[in-house]
Amino acid sequence: MSQAIITEQLRREFRVDKEGKRRETFVALDGVNLEVNRGEIFGLLGPNGAGKTTLIKILSTLLSPTSGRAVVGGFDVTSDPYSVRRIINMVSGGEHSGYGILTVRENLWLFSQLYGIPNKIALERIDRLMDIVGLSDRARTKVHKLSTGQRQKMNFIRGFISDPEILFLDEPTLGLDVETSRVIRRYIREWVDDRPDRTVLLTTHYMAEADQLCDRLAIVNQGKILACDTPSALKRRVGQDSVLEIEISAQAGQLQPLAELSAQRGVRRVAISSNGGGTLTHRLSVIVDGDGAIPEVLQFLAQRGAIVTGFKKTEPTLEDVFLELVGRRLTGENGSQVASKG
Amino acid sequence: MAVGSRSAAECWRTFKLAAWLGWQMESNWADPFLFSIYSIVKPVSHSLILVVMYLVVRGQAAGGGLFAQMYVGNAFFLYVGQVLFGLTWVVIEDREFYQMFKYMYVSTPNIYWYLLGRSFAKMAIATVSVVIVLTFGRVFLRLPIHASTVDLTTFCFSMFFGMVSCIGMGIGLAGVMLVVARHGGHASEAVAGALFLLSGAVFPIDILPRLALYPAIALPTTYWLEGVRRGLLGSGMGQTMAVFSNRELIVVLAMLSLVYLILGTLTFVMCEKTAKARGLIDMHTHH
């Protein structure tokens, strides 16, 4: 079987409390169809609440789907969760997890033994992984004395300790410093390249991480997969379009008319973001059909009284792909407004 | 068959490691000297409360007779607190404080064996406490426990099935904790309190009103405490239990323990299914 993970019409609903005693149904996953090949790093890219973590929870047998089917390593997550657990492991970033009374090494050893790793191999693996992520000097430190970042490094090692066939990484570098994140990304890549049957399913909302690490990506929003392809193929979707990053100085009242920019000829998408707090400086991300539309865009802004204080034309990024597909930026900034054609 | 034996090996491995983890968490929080002091002071203080109450109520010195029955019942009830309350707390603590429950859940073939292992560690801790309390009672309060009069068969069978029933109830309550918020932990205190009242831990169940007597005789803990009294002291407490011979007492206790283990396991399985369906395995309730 060449697919490590298959989902078919996977749906997950939650009953959520609303004002008063009324309860409403929230659809976290809406008919997700996905195929992840063995030996690839597959990324789920989307904003908070898109359904990424819900999908990982279902695939790792922590949560039952409302309907549909999910198969991991050839085993159905609903009817054969025990077989799934034998071949997977998972890491969630941004947590404060760990048995505080045990040392780092004891915590990791415990999990290696739960997976039945022979003691000698387990200890060698623990030492090697601690060395890679820079945690060796904390091996005999009790976990309650670790910083959040150090706990996260330990948690990361725990995910790899069983050398699983399929590894779920939910925002693995969340809250880590740049250098550690870089080391971790490099290790993930090496780990998968080292053996062709290892598979990683990774969620992130860091565009650079997704771009650098993932063989294929699915862009997820509101429980649906909007696109699924390699990062370069996704970026080609924006095609020959130009992406303009324009910094303008304008009063708050002038912003609404600027949304009409999307109606201009040659303009495909416009996203306006500001830092809030009554600031005069705003940022416009504009996707245009070609360079020919640039003068018209600048003229439009000048006519509306917006002063251009910065201008940059960039190559399409995954952020632009997200903007193209969803109609807004993934990296959240306050006061985002969106206008688009069609 | 291969799959079956592999599963059994995995369950046993999970049980052993959970017991090791439980022991570390119970004993490793302080240096050994401080832990030894705590291990002695806590159960002894617990039993001294009973001694003082007895002195005040009866106005006579503690020693044999009714006091010995109360003392022994109270001492062994430490298991109920440790195993019942302890198991429910394992779920809450692992899930919300250590945030490790979900990792345990996906690392083990069945979380049930993890909880069984943790309950074993709780039992080990309770055993240390009970031995200290009984030794204290024997040496300082002159409890009539003599090697020559101890009925080891009745005692051992009572203990075995008593522990089975405690684990059964503890597993059931742990299952309930999977679907309730952190404050649900108070439920286990309520259950432990009800068991203390109804099992005749410190008084004969004869004095209970008739309405309370029915649940009392349906509880395995009632027979277990009666069994350990008979095993250690040579006699039980009260008339209601006196109708059973030692052998009959063990048989009833064995049957009830099995029933409670099955009910506890079924409750756990149902609650685990509900928790998975509602996404509660890794919830943080912040209560």
Side-chain angles (χ1 to χ4, degrees):
Chain A
M1 190 180 192
S2 61
Q3 274 83 33
I5 300 165
I6 301 169
T7 70
E8 291 168 356
Q9 288 300 312
L10 198 65
R11 185 178 173 86
R12 176 65 214 197
E13 297 172 357
F14 288 101
R15 299 282 288 166
V16 291
D17 290 326
K18 286 286 176 183
E19 287 176 23
K21 291 192 173 178
R22 205 157 48 90
R23 302 196 85 195
E24 281 188 1
T25 300
F26 167 72
V27 180
L29 290 177
D30 191 2
V32 169
N33 293 306
L34 198 67
E35 286 191 3
V36 178
N37 300 321
R38 279 189 192 277
E40 72 176 348
I41 301 178
F42 189 94
L44 294 169
L45 185 66
N48 292 335
K52 308 186 298 288
T53 300
T54 302
L55 180 56
I56 280 201
K57 281 187 184 180
I58 290 174
L59 296 174
S60 59
T61 76
L62 283 172
L63 180 67
S64 305
T66 305
S67 62
R69 184 165 171 259
V71 177
V72 174
F75 304 109
D76 190 295
V77 295
T78 307
S79 61
D80 197 1
Y82 303 154
S83 298
V84 172
R85 285 175 205 154
R86 284 193 182 103
I87 58 164
I88 65 161
N89 208 333
M90 68 176 293
V91 175
S92 298
E95 283 186 346
H96 204 67
S97 56
Y99 290 112
I101 208 85
L102 303 182
T103 65
V104 172
R105 212 159 189 257
E106 286 170 340
N107 260 283
L108 295 169
W109 175 84
L110 170 68
F111 277 91
S112 71
Q113 297 310 293
L114 282 169
Y115 283 100
I117 314 289
N119 203 39
K120 189 166 177 282
I121 294 172
L123 293 174
E124 281 172 5
R125 200 176 284 170
I126 289 167
D127 288 343
R128 188 169 53 83
L129 286 165
M130 281 199 296
D131 198 36
I132 287 169
V133 301
L135 205 59
S136 298
D137 57 334
R138 295 285 178 179
R140 296 185 193 284
T141 304
K142 290 202 173 182
V143 168
H144 69 88
K145 290 181 180 166
L146 297 184
S147 68
T148 304
Q150 288 167 332
R151 280 191 189 221
Q152 192 153 331
K153 286 179 185 177
M154 183 189 76
N155 201 15
F156 179 79
I157 297 172
R158 188 194 44 70
F160 285 87
I161 208 79
S162 59
D163 194 14
E165 279 181 38
I166 298 163
L167 179 61
F168 299 107
L169 300 173
D170 191 6
E171 307 276 5
T173 58
L174 189 68
L176 290 176
D177 61 75
V178 175
E179 178 56 21
T180 307
S181 301
R182 194 179 59 77
V183 167
I184 281 177
R185 280 198 285 268
R186 191 174 60 202
Y187 181 73
I188 295 169
R189 182 78 262 172
E190 286 171 2
W191 186 76
V192 172
D193 289 346
D194 194 39
R195 234 178 56 195
D197 59 337
R198 288 169 174 159
T199 307
V200 170
L201 179 66
L202 168 103
T203 77
T204 184
H205 60 258
Y206 296 142
M207 296 291 175
E209 185 166 276
D211 203 355
Q212 180 193 337
L213 202 53
C214 298
D215 298 311
R216 286 196 305 142
L217 273 174
I219 293 185
V220 191
N221 192 45
Q222 295 181 341
K224 289 182 177 167
I225 292 184
L226 304 179
C228 179
D229 216 324
T230 62
S232 53
L234 284 169
K235 283 186 278 190
R236 279 200 299 274
R237 283 181 175 229
V238 185
Q240 301 304 312
D241 301 343
S242 297
V243 181
L244 311 179
E245 298 293 339
I246 308 171
E247 199 172 273
I248 60 163
S249 179
Q251 298 291 340
Q254 292 174 297
L255 288 179
Q256 198 57 41
L258 293 184
E260 293 167 14
L261 178 59
S262 62
Q264 293 294 302
R265 193 164 54 86
V267 176
R268 292 184 53 187
R269 291 270 187 187
V270 181
I272 307 168
S273 54
S274 62
N275 294 326
T279 180
L280 293 175
T281 305
H282 311 280
R283 198 174 67 142
L284 267 68
S285 300
V286 186
I287 299 176
V288 292
D289 283 338
D291 291 352
I294 295 173
E296 289 185 37
V297 169
L298 295 175
Q299 189 183 2
F300 176 89
L301 294 174
Q303 284 170 354
R304 300 306 187 275
I307 301 162
V308 176
T309 55
F311 180 91
K312 190 169 69 173
K313 185 185 154 213
T314 61
E315 293 302 311
T317 63
L318 287 175
E319 179 83 54
D320 303 316
V321 177
F322 193 82
L323 174 65
E324 172 78 13
L325 289 167
V326 181
R328 66 185 166 89
R329 291 206 158 275
L330 176 59
T331 48
E333 288 177 3
N334 293 333
S336 260
Q337 296 179 40
V338 173
S340 63
K341 281 181 176 171
Chain B
M1 184 61 196
V3 173
S5 59
R6 188 174 63 164
S7 296
E10 283 170 347
C11 292
W12 173 237
R13 195 167 64 213
T14 303
F15 176 86
K16 278 191 301 182
L17 287 162
W20 174 82
L21 174 64
W23 178 257
Q24 292 297 317
M25 290 172 78
E26 297 288 346
S27 64
N28 204 12
W29 53 269
D31 65 69
F33 177 72
L34 192 63
F35 177 69
S36 307
I37 298 289
Y38 172 81
S39 301
I40 294 168
V41 169
K42 191 191 168 199
V44 168
S45 309
H46 179 77
S47 45
L48 281 178
I49 294 169
L50 188 74
V51 174
V52 172
M53 282 167 61
Y54 184 82
L55 282 172
V56 171
V57 175
R58 296 279 296 205
Q60 63 185 70
L66 180 63
F67 175 78
Q69 305 282 2
M70 289 169 63
Y71 191 90
V72 169
N74 190 54
F76 280 88
F77 200 81
L78 286 168
Y79 281 106
V80 177
Q82 271 288 348
V83 178
L84 246 72
F85 184 66
L87 264 185
T88 56
W89 195 242
V90 164
V91 172
I92 294 165
E93 206 174 41
D94 269 32
R95 188 182 64 198
E96 310 212 15
F97 183 67
Y98 297 117
Q99 300 181 14
M100 293 300 280
F101 195 76
K102 68 173 174 182
Y103 296 122
M104 277 296 170
Y105 194 82
V106 299
S107 306
T108 55
N110 195 330
I111 197 72
Y112 180 84
W113 292 94
Y114 170 72
L115 291 172
L116 280 186
R118 292 292 297 269
S119 72
F120 187 75
K122 300 276 180 196
M123 272 195 299
I125 290 288
T127 302
V128 172
S129 299
V130 170
V131 168
I132 289 169
V133 169
L134 291 179
T135 307
F136 179 84
R138 177 73 188 84
V139 174
F140 296 103
L141 304 173
R142 294 180 191 145
L143 286 188
I145 302 173
H146 306 286
S148 57
T149 55
V150 167
D151 178 354
L152 211 56
T153 309
T154 304
F155 176 76
C156 290
F157 276 109
S158 299
M159 278 306 296
F160 176 77
F161 290 117
M163 291 303 97
V164 170
S165 64
C166 279
I167 290 171
M169 288 188 274
I171 286 286
L173 274 173
V176 173
M177 290 307 117
L178 288 176
V179 292
V180 298
R182 192 180 188 129
H183 54 68
H186 300 308
S188 61
E189 290 179 52
V191 171
L195 287 175
F196 191 74
L197 179 75
L198 297 172
S199 304
V202 292
F203 54 79
I205 60 169
D206 311 346
I207 63 168
L208 289 171
R210 185 154 290 276
L211 212 59
L213 194 59
Y214 293 125
I217 58 173
L219 287 170
T221 42
T222 307
Y223 299 86
W224 163 51
L225 293 177
E226 177 71 5
V228 294
R229 282 192 191 105
R230 290 188 191 183
L232 289 181
L233 302 169
S235 62
M237 188 157 71
Q239 294 304 308
T240 309
M241 288 287 113
V243 298
F244 296 104
S245 67
N246 285 2
R247 184 185 291 263
E248 287 167 343
L249 192 80
I250 299 298
V251 170
V252 175
L253 172 60
M255 287 192 300
L256 281 174
S257 297
L258 199 64
V259 168
Y260 274 72
L261 184 66
I262 291 168
L263 286 177
T265 303
L266 287 175
T267 305
F268 181 83
V269 169
M270 281 193 313
C271 289
E272 186 200 352
K273 201 174 167 188
T274 306
K276 226 177 123 173
R278 287 165 53 190
L280 305 177
I281 296 290
D282 61 338
M283 73 169 164
H284 300 154
T285 54
H286 304 293
H287 282 288

